[in-house]
Amino acid sequence: EPVVSLAEVLAENEELEKEARAVLGGSDHERCSYSQGAVKRQALYACSTCTPPGSEPAGICLACSYECHGTHRLFELYTKRNFRCDCGNSKFKNLQCKLLPEKVKVNSGNKYNDNFYGLYCICKRPYPDPEDEIPDEMIQCIVCEDWFHGRHLGAVPPESGDFHEMVCQACMNHCHFLWAYAPQLAVPPLTKVNSLEGEGVFLKVKESEEQKKEIKRESGVEHQEMKEEKQTEQFNEPSTSSGSACPEVKCTFFSVVTKSEEPVCKLKELQSKPFLKKDTATFWPLNWRSKLCTCEECLKMYSELEVQFLTDECDTVLAYENKGTSDQETERRDPLMDTLNSMNRVQQVELICEYNDLKTELTDYLRRFADEGTVVKREDIQHFFEEFQSRKRQRTNRMQYYCS
């Protein structure tokens, strides 16, 4: 029979609590989110009991999943952006929302996919899949927000800690401009260099010698252009001598200033260099969105492609998780401090002393088990508290009070 230590149990429990705070912390578990309109990002669920395959897809918020669908079969959708709770609207034939009954018939701004029927990836399979015996990690695309098996992305994903976001093949074709950014910003996928019956060794892709030479050539060209530009600016500066200034030079100088004031499009600069489009997903590091061009023309393109959120750092799942964790930590209150605040000064001192005695004695008691490498059993803990209570009574009986 496998044996786990108390430290391992506590560590696992803390990790589960941390994950729950991250995923659910940014969502309200008591109030339906419908009144907030299309929430920027929230935890969502789909009810297979109320909206089975064949009916219209619908999504419900965290609070409604507890209050209105507590006994139903639900699909956890993790988080999705710009979504308004559907619970109780026209898509639910025999259910009225208990938290907010008055809702419009349809939320036209909501977007749906096969996730709302419990199907994911290009293979359209459930997760977990009882028929899939291949261990694989599911990764969410930050554009379409579908989930994909790592083996169905057209490229082997880097180590999970090396990238923060993924864009699937279909969304890379839709957001074709991202291919121009990929050589500079994207995290290289792993490449299979040796294979035997489907199992292989994977190495990170490194720049080839030709790529390094190309970078050096580009750097040399850029350096030369900067040098020529600096010489041009020095040549075009107005004369400070007593002689008359050349009007042609002045005119040239002003044209340089006007040119420098024109906004430069990062995307056009990247598109002027050769880059390769592939039929694969791409993987992106932390804060890569902040490096996308935000000139007027690019913003218009994002709007036409309906991907304006790509320039919003607060749209990321990481930002949502950090907010949820921060909010939960702020709201969590120490029960000991709550108890202390309800007591007078004498009671507070006595409670603190008792708490310190318990902490010290319990630590010393458990240290013996750790040093000996033995398992702490239920009867060991019961024995400790029985002895602790006995010692406490003895200390109380011997205690003498003096009044002055």
Side-chain angles (χ1 to χ4, degrees), residues 17 19 64 72 75 109 127 143 147 149 167 205 209 219 229 232 282 310 312 324 389 398 402 404:
E17 288 185 2
E19 184 177 346
C64 287
H72 298 178
F75 297 126
Y127 182 82
V143 178
W147 291 82
H149 295 101
V167 181
V205 176
E209 291 300 323
S219 300
E229 185 178 346
T232 304
T282 52
L310 284 179
D312 183 6
Q389 290 292 343
R398 288 198 300 266
Y402 297 91
S404 59

Side-chain angles (χ1 to χ4, degrees), residues 183-184 206-223 273-274:
Q184 282 73 27
K206 293 184 179 180
E207 295 171 346
S208 64
E209 291 300 323
E210 293 183 0
Q211 288 175 320
K212 290 180 180 178
K213 290 179 182 178
E214 180 65 25
I215 292 173
K216 288 181 180 179
R217 284 199 298 270
E218 290 178 359
S219 300
V221 171
E222 291 176 0
H223 178 73
K273 303 174 183 179

Side-chain angles (χ1 to χ4, degrees), residues 271-290:
Q271 289 176 332
S272 65
K273 303 174 183 179
F275 59 88
L276 184 63
K277 290 184 179 181
K278 304 177 183 178
D279 186 24
T280 66
T282 52
F283 309 90
W284 305 83
L286 183 66
N287 298 328
W288 71 277
R289 298 187 186 203
S290 63

Side-chain angles (χ1 to χ4, degrees), residues 99-283:
L99 299 176
L100 280 176
E102 299 298 326
K103 294 181 178 178
V104 296
K105 292 184 177 181
V106 177
N107 294 313
S108 57
N110 288 353
K111 292 185 177 180
Y112 307 89
N113 58 17
D114 288 328
N115 295 174
F116 290 82
Y117 298 121
L119 302 176
Y120 308 89
C121 191
I122 57 174
C123 58
K124 305 302 179 188
R125 296 293 301 169
Y127 182 82
D129 188 348
E131 299 180 9
D132 187 4
E133 299 179 356
I134 303 175
D136 201 351
E137 183 181 15
M138 297 289 284
I139 308 174
Q140 187 180 34
C141 172
I142 53 94
V143 178
C144 66
E145 298 189 297
D146 195 358
W147 291 82
F148 297 84
H149 295 101
R151 64 185 186 273
H152 293 160
L153 292 173
V156 181
E159 295 293 335
S160 58
D162 293 345
F163 72 98
H164 284 262
E165 294 186 307
M166 182 274 290
V167 181
C168 71
Q169 299 105 305
C171 290
M172 283 301 297
N173 292 330
H174 177 67
C175 305
H176 48 83
F177 66 91
L178 288 178
W179 284 116
Y181 288 99
Q184 282 73 27
L185 299 182
V187 178
L190 299 183
T191 180
K192 186 182 293 186
V193 297
N194 190 14
S195 178
L196 180 61
E197 294 183 0
E199 295 183 1
V201 179
F202 297 93
L203 296 177
K204 290 187 178 179
V205 176
K206 293 184 179 180
E207 295 171 346
S208 64
E209 291 300 323
E210 293 183 0
Q211 288 175 320
K212 290 180 180 178
K213 290 179 182 178
E214 180 65 25
I215 292 173
K216 288 181 180 179
R217 284 199 298 270
E218 290 178 359
S219 300
V221 171
E222 291 176 0
H223 178 73
Q224 183 66 24
E225 289 176 349
M226 290 175 63
K227 186 176 180 181
E228 292 175 358
E229 185 178 346
K230 186 176 291 185
Q231 290 175 348
T232 304
E233 289 181 359
Q234 291 175 351
F235 175 79
N236 291 332
E237 284 181 358
S239 174
T240 55
S241 63
S242 57
S244 60
C246 175
E248 293 181 359
V249 172
K250 283 185 179 180
C251 184
T252 306
F253 170 72
F254 287 121
S255 67
V256 171
V257 173
T258 304
K259 183 178 180 180
S260 65
E261 290 176 352
E262 294 178 359
V264 178
C265 178
K266 298 178 186 177
L267 179 59
K268 286 184 178 179
E269 289 184 350
L270 294 174
Q271 289 176 332
S272 65
K273 303 174 183 179
F275 59 88
L276 184 63
K277 290 184 179 181
K278 304 177 183 178
D279 186 24
T280 66
T282 52
F283 309 90

Side-chain angles (χ1 to χ4, degrees), residues 61-100:
C61 68
L62 177 63
C64 287
S65 73
Y66 293 152
E67 187 66 27
C68 308
H69 305 264
T71 60
H72 298 178
R73 182 169 180 258
L74 301 178
F75 297 126
E76 185 176 2
L77 305 179
Y78 196 48
T79 71
K80 291 189 182 293
R81 68 171 65 89
N82 300 332
F83 198 94
R84 195 173 194 183
C85 180
D86 286 322
C87 181
N89 65 13
S90 61
K91 296 184 176 184
F92 295 80
K93 306 302 180 184
N94 302 313
L95 182 136
Q96 186 179 51
C97 181
K98 298 177 182 178
L99 299 176
L100 280 176

